[in-house]
PDB file of all heavy atoms in Angstrom:
ATOM      1  N   ILE B 140      15.327  17.189  -9.650  1.00  0.00           N
ATOM      2  CA  ILE B 140      14.098  17.369  -8.810  1.00  0.00           C
ATOM      3  C   ILE B 140      14.302  17.461  -7.433  1.00  0.00           C
ATOM      4  O   ILE B 140      13.911  18.345  -6.849  1.00  0.00           O
ATOM      5  CB  ILE B 140      12.969  16.431  -9.194  1.00  0.00           C
ATOM      6  CG1 ILE B 140      12.693  16.583 -10.814  1.00  0.00           C
ATOM      7  CG2 ILE B 140      11.699  16.592  -8.481  1.00  0.00           C
ATOM      8  CD1 ILE B 140      11.762  15.503 -11.371  1.00  0.00           C
ATOM      9  N   ALA B 141      14.902  16.384  -6.736  1.00  0.00           N
ATOM     10  CA  ALA B 141      15.061  16.398  -5.325  1.00  0.00           C
ATOM     11  C   ALA B 141      15.971  17.760  -4.826  1.00  0.00           C
ATOM     12  O   ALA B 141      15.652  18.380  -3.938  1.00  0.00           O
ATOM     13  CB  ALA B 141      15.733  15.186  -4.775  1.00  0.00           C
ATOM     14  N   GLU B 142      17.069  17.898  -5.473  1.00  0.00           N
ATOM     15  CA  GLU B 142      17.991  19.030  -5.196  1.00  0.00           C
ATOM     16  C   GLU B 142      17.231  20.359  -5.509  1.00  0.00           C
ATOM     17  O   GLU B 142      17.276  21.278  -4.756  1.00  0.00           O
ATOM     18  CB  GLU B 142      19.250  19.012  -5.982  1.00  0.00           C
ATOM     19  CG  GLU B 142      20.201  20.164  -5.786  1.00  0.00           C
ATOM     20  CD  GLU B 142      21.403  20.025  -6.600  1.00  0.00           C
ATOM     21  OE1 GLU B 142      21.657  18.940  -7.214  1.00  0.00           O
ATOM     22  OE2 GLU B 142      22.182  21.017  -6.733  1.00  0.00           O
ATOM     23  N   ASP B 143      16.426  20.420  -6.486  1.00  0.00           N
ATOM     24  CA  ASP B 143      15.662  21.533  -6.898  1.00  0.00           C
ATOM     25  C   ASP B 143      14.612  21.817  -5.876  1.00  0.00           C
ATOM     26  O   ASP B 143      14.304  23.078  -5.483  1.00  0.00           O
ATOM     27  CB  ASP B 143      15.131  21.403  -8.280  1.00  0.00           C
ATOM     28  CG  ASP B 143      16.128  21.134  -9.360  1.00  0.00           C
ATOM     29  OD1 ASP B 143      17.063  21.728  -9.448  1.00  0.00           O
ATOM     30  OD2 ASP B 143      15.958  20.078 -10.037  1.00  0.00           O
ATOM     31  N   LEU B 144      13.873  20.803  -5.349  1.00  0.00           N
ATOM     32  CA  LEU B 144      12.838  21.010  -4.428  1.00  0.00           C
ATOM     33  C   LEU B 144      13.561  21.519  -3.029  1.00  0.00           C
ATOM     34  O   LEU B 144      12.974  22.309  -2.260  1.00  0.00           O
ATOM     35  CB  LEU B 144      12.184  19.735  -4.146  1.00  0.00           C
ATOM     36  CG  LEU B 144      11.022  19.859  -3.193  1.00  0.00           C
ATOM     37  CD1 LEU B 144       9.914  20.657  -3.697  1.00  0.00           C
ATOM     38  CD2 LEU B 144      10.437  18.358  -2.841  1.00  0.00           C
ATOM     39  N   THR B 145      14.738  20.980  -2.650  1.00  0.00           N
ATOM     40  CA  THR B 145      15.436  21.407  -1.532  1.00  0.00           C
ATOM     41  C   THR B 145      15.689  22.954  -1.499  1.00  0.00           C
ATOM     42  O   THR B 145      15.471  23.636  -0.505  1.00  0.00           O
ATOM     43  CB  THR B 145      16.722  20.651  -1.288  1.00  0.00           C
ATOM     44  OG1 THR B 145      16.430  19.165  -1.099  1.00  0.00           O
ATOM     45  CG2 THR B 145      17.448  21.086  -0.074  1.00  0.00           C
ATOM     46  N   ALA B 146      16.129  23.395  -2.784  1.00  0.00           N
ATOM     47  CA  ALA B 146      16.455  24.816  -2.983  1.00  0.00           C
ATOM     48  C   ALA B 146      15.172  25.555  -2.822  1.00  0.00           C
ATOM     49  O   ALA B 146      15.140  26.691  -2.222  1.00  0.00           O
ATOM     50  CB  ALA B 146      17.156  25.028  -4.259  1.00  0.00           C
ATOM     51  N   TYR B 147      14.058  25.197  -3.337  1.00  0.00           N
ATOM     52  CA  TYR B 147      12.815  25.864  -3.218  1.00  0.00           C
ATOM     53  C   TYR B 147      12.362  26.007  -1.852  1.00  0.00           C
ATOM     54  O   TYR B 147      11.938  27.019  -1.339  1.00  0.00           O
ATOM     55  CB  TYR B 147      11.729  25.142  -3.968  1.00  0.00           C
ATOM     56  CG  TYR B 147      10.364  25.667  -3.612  1.00  0.00           C
ATOM     57  CD1 TYR B 147       9.819  26.749  -4.015  1.00  0.00           C
ATOM     58  CD2 TYR B 147       9.542  24.838  -2.692  1.00  0.00           C
ATOM     59  CE1 TYR B 147       8.515  27.205  -3.722  1.00  0.00           C
ATOM     60  CE2 TYR B 147       8.363  25.299  -2.190  1.00  0.00           C
ATOM     61  CZ  TYR B 147       7.812  26.416  -2.758  1.00  0.00           C
ATOM     62  OH  TYR B 147       6.516  26.997  -2.314  1.00  0.00           O
ATOM     63  N   LEU B 148      12.447  24.982  -1.036  1.00  0.00           N
ATOM     64  CA  LEU B 148      12.058  24.996   0.297  1.00  0.00           C
ATOM     65  C   LEU B 148      12.819  25.973   1.206  1.00  0.00           C
ATOM     66  O   LEU B 148      12.195  26.680   2.044  1.00  0.00           O
ATOM     67  CB  LEU B 148      12.081  23.612   1.022  1.00  0.00           C
ATOM     68  CG  LEU B 148      11.019  22.537   0.473  1.00  0.00           C
ATOM     69  CD1 LEU B 148      11.382  21.175   1.022  1.00  0.00           C
ATOM     70  CD2 LEU B 148       9.601  22.990   0.873  1.00  0.00           C
ATOM     71  N   LEU B 149      14.165  26.069   0.832  1.00  0.00           N
ATOM     72  CA  LEU B 149      14.891  27.092   1.520  1.00  0.00           C
ATOM     73  C   LEU B 149      14.700  28.391   1.220  1.00  0.00           C
ATOM     74  O   LEU B 149      14.446  29.394   1.903  1.00  0.00           O
ATOM     75  CB  LEU B 149      16.365  26.588   1.365  1.00  0.00           C
ATOM     76  CG  LEU B 149      17.405  27.619   2.072  1.00  0.00           C
ATOM     77  CD1 LEU B 149      17.205  27.658   3.662  1.00  0.00           C
ATOM     78  CD2 LEU B 149      18.821  27.207   1.832  1.00  0.00           C
ATOM     79  N   GLU B 150      14.664  28.639  -0.206  1.00  0.00           N
ATOM     80  CA  GLU B 150      14.572  30.013  -0.686  1.00  0.00           C
ATOM     81  C   GLU B 150      13.196  30.669  -0.608  1.00  0.00           C
ATOM     82  O   GLU B 150      12.979  31.792  -0.236  1.00  0.00           O
ATOM     83  CB  GLU B 150      15.036  29.999  -2.152  1.00  0.00           C
ATOM     84  CG  GLU B 150      16.487  29.715  -2.338  1.00  0.00           C
ATOM     85  CD  GLU B 150      16.833  29.642  -3.723  1.00  0.00           C
ATOM     86  OE1 GLU B 150      15.991  30.030  -4.764  1.00  0.00           O
ATOM     87  OE2 GLU B 150      18.068  29.227  -4.187  1.00  0.00           O
ATOM     88  N   SER B 151      12.076  29.808  -1.057  1.00  0.00           N
ATOM     89  CA  SER B 151      10.726  30.426  -1.047  1.00  0.00           C
ATOM     90  C   SER B 151       9.969  30.211   0.326  1.00  0.00           C
ATOM     91  O   SER B 151       9.019  30.963   0.541  1.00  0.00           O
ATOM     92  CB  SER B 151       9.953  29.873  -2.098  1.00  0.00           C
ATOM     93  OG  SER B 151      10.489  30.141  -3.356  1.00  0.00           O
ATOM     94  N   GLU B 152      10.309  29.229   1.054  1.00  0.00           N
ATOM     95  CA  GLU B 152       9.476  28.878   2.291  1.00  0.00           C
ATOM     96  C   GLU B 152      10.465  29.060   3.626  1.00  0.00           C
ATOM     97  O   GLU B 152       9.944  28.864   4.704  1.00  0.00           O
ATOM     98  CB  GLU B 152       8.884  27.614   2.263  1.00  0.00           C
ATOM     99  CG  GLU B 152       7.943  27.467   1.122  1.00  0.00           C
ATOM    100  CD  GLU B 152       6.956  26.245   1.164  1.00  0.00           C
ATOM    101  OE1 GLU B 152       7.088  25.511   2.140  1.00  0.00           O
ATOM    102  OE2 GLU B 152       6.185  26.036   0.168  1.00  0.00           O
ATOM    103  N   GLN B 153      11.768  29.357   3.430  1.00  0.00           N
ATOM    104  CA  GLN B 153      12.724  29.541   4.466  1.00  0.00           C
ATOM    105  C   GLN B 153      12.681  28.396   5.427  1.00  0.00           C
ATOM    106  O   GLN B 153      12.761  28.498   6.664  1.00  0.00           O
ATOM    107  CB  GLN B 153      12.313  30.788   5.236  1.00  0.00           C
ATOM    108  CG  GLN B 153      12.658  32.206   4.429  1.00  0.00           C
ATOM    109  CD  GLN B 153      11.561  32.401   3.380  1.00  0.00           C
ATOM    110  OE1 GLN B 153      10.369  32.539   3.605  1.00  0.00           O
ATOM    111  NE2 GLN B 153      12.020  32.732   2.140  1.00  0.00           N
TER     112      GLN B 153
END
Side-chain angles (χ1 to χ4, degrees):
I140 302 174
E142 180 183 345
D143 305 305
L144 183 65
T145 300
Y147 162 80
L148 290 170
L149 179 61
E150 294 176 8
S151 293
E152 301 193 5
Q153 289 77 55

